[in-house]
Amino acid sequence: MQQLFTDHLWKKVEPIWKSYLEHPFVKGLGEGWLDKEKFKHWMKQDYVYLIEYSRLFALGSAKAHDLSTMTTFANLLHGTLHMEMDLHRNYANKFGITADELEETEAAATTTAYTSYMLNVAQQGGIENTVAAVLACAWSYNYIGKALAAWPNALEHEFYGNWVQMYSSEDFTALANDCIDLINTIAEDKPEHELAILEDIVVKTSYFEYMFWDMAEHQAMWPVPVAAQNL
């Protein structure tokens, strides 16, 4: 049986993704002791991240060579704009933050770097680059959600339980699997040197995912504070 491209990718990203589960932000989320101010920072940054992430799905639909791929990207866009971002809006409501305020969040340095990288590599190449750029986020969040769902009381936690429930859910798993299936299909006839490019994109975005958790843990924005009037 021929090995799928994602089987190869998994060997590359598994050590990185396992480190997510040891990160204090993710551990605190799964065990229920995460400081809510840190979670609020993650939520706001992830919301503006998801706006740019949604552009990638729209771009993928535009780059698609067939209706089936176009439909998959459209479904991924819909799932992100509604199911995933609805989770953020619901949490924002608990913090007294409106959807408009969420949308107006200033992107942190890590958020800006991550989304800029994804959009850049997606624009540089064809549909395959776009698929590679979106893969780590969807797949790794589902990986984390399923892992945390097996931790004691994570699904039932009064505040963070909804997070674990959504990212481990059948609906979100289906979105992640759509991304996995897309890259496996696209990789089938690619030469090794092109597959190496896609692998590099997935590995780099996996590192960015770790940086994003770290940014949330430290409630980081930009490393050099500058007074607003000087901007």
Side-chain angles (χ1 to χ4, degrees), residues 28-96:
L29 185 63
E31 294 178 356
W33 46 261
L34 177 66
D35 185 285
K36 288 185 179 178
E37 286 301 309
K38 293 181 179 181
F39 182 80
K40 181 167 73 171
H41 187 69
W42 168 85
M43 176 200 66
K44 293 172 69 177
Q45 288 301 314
D46 201 55
Y47 194 82
V48 292
Y49 166 91
L50 289 174
I51 293 172
E52 302 307 308
Y53 192 59
S54 295
R55 297 187 202 281
L56 284 161
F57 290 130
L59 183 62
S61 191
K63 285 177 177 279
H65 301 302
D66 56 76
L67 186 59
S68 175
T69 304
M70 184 183 292
T71 301
T72 298
F73 270 108
N75 289 338
L76 288 164
L77 174 60
H78 183 271
T80 303
L81 288 173
H82 296 280
M83 176 175 60
E84 194 168 2
M85 293 178 80
D86 274 352
L87 177 77
H88 293 59
R89 286 185 280 263
N90 289 337
Y91 271 117
N93 187 55
K94 294 179 181 181
F95 285 111

Side-chain angles (χ1 to χ4, degrees), residues 6-204:
T6 49
D7 293 332
H8 169 77
L9 286 176
W10 173 246
K11 295 175 183 177
K12 298 289 184 178
V13 302
E14 183 182 13
I16 306 171
W17 292 11
K18 282 188 173 180
S19 73
Y20 303 160
L21 302 178
E22 295 300 318
H23 193 281
F25 186 94
V26 178
K27 286 192 74 172
L29 185 63
E31 294 178 356
W33 46 261
L34 177 66
D35 185 285
K36 288 185 179 178
E37 286 301 309
K38 293 181 179 181
F39 182 80
K40 181 167 73 171
H41 187 69
W42 168 85
M43 176 200 66
K44 293 172 69 177
Q45 288 301 314
D46 201 55
Y47 194 82
V48 292
Y49 166 91
L50 289 174
I51 293 172
E52 302 307 308
Y53 192 59
S54 295
R55 297 187 202 281
L56 284 161
F57 290 130
L59 183 62
S61 191
K63 285 177 177 279
H65 301 302
D66 56 76
L67 186 59
S68 175
T69 304
M70 184 183 292
T71 301
T72 298
F73 270 108
N75 289 338
L76 288 164
L77 174 60
H78 183 271
T80 303
L81 288 173
H82 296 280
M83 176 175 60
E84 194 168 2
M85 293 178 80
D86 274 352
L87 177 77
H88 293 59
R89 286 185 280 263
N90 289 337
Y91 271 117
N93 187 55
K94 294 179 181 181
F95 285 111
I97 301 170
T98 67
D100 287 342
E101 288 172 329
L102 265 185
E103 192 173 341
E104 292 167 2
T105 298
E106 178 191 355
T110 298
T111 310
T112 302
Y114 188 2
T115 57
S116 297
Y117 172 76
M118 289 192 299
L119 288 165
N120 184 44
V121 296
Q123 291 282 6
Q124 284 181 11
I127 185 72
E128 67 279 358
N129 278 30
T130 309
V131 177
V134 302
L135 181 65
C137 181
W139 190 6
S140 73
Y141 265 66
N142 190 226
Y143 165 81
I144 292 170
K146 288 179 175 179
L148 298 190
W151 292 11
N153 305 313
L155 287 166
E156 294 80 27
H157 190 273
E158 61 180 359
F159 192 79
Y160 297 123
N162 288 343
W163 193 101
V164 179
Q165 290 167 25
M166 202 214 76
Y167 285 111
S168 64
S169 69
E170 290 184 3
D171 286 343
F172 192 80
T173 299
L175 292 180
N177 286 340
D178 281 344
C179 292
I180 292 169
D181 291 342
L182 270 175
I183 202 161
N184 282 328
T185 299
I186 285 172
E188 284 179 359
D189 301 318
K190 296 290 182 187
E192 286 299 320
H193 71 277
E194 291 187 20
L195 293 179
I197 294 171
L198 301 184
E199 176 190 309
D200 185 63
I201 293 170
V202 176
V203 169
K204 280 191 170 68

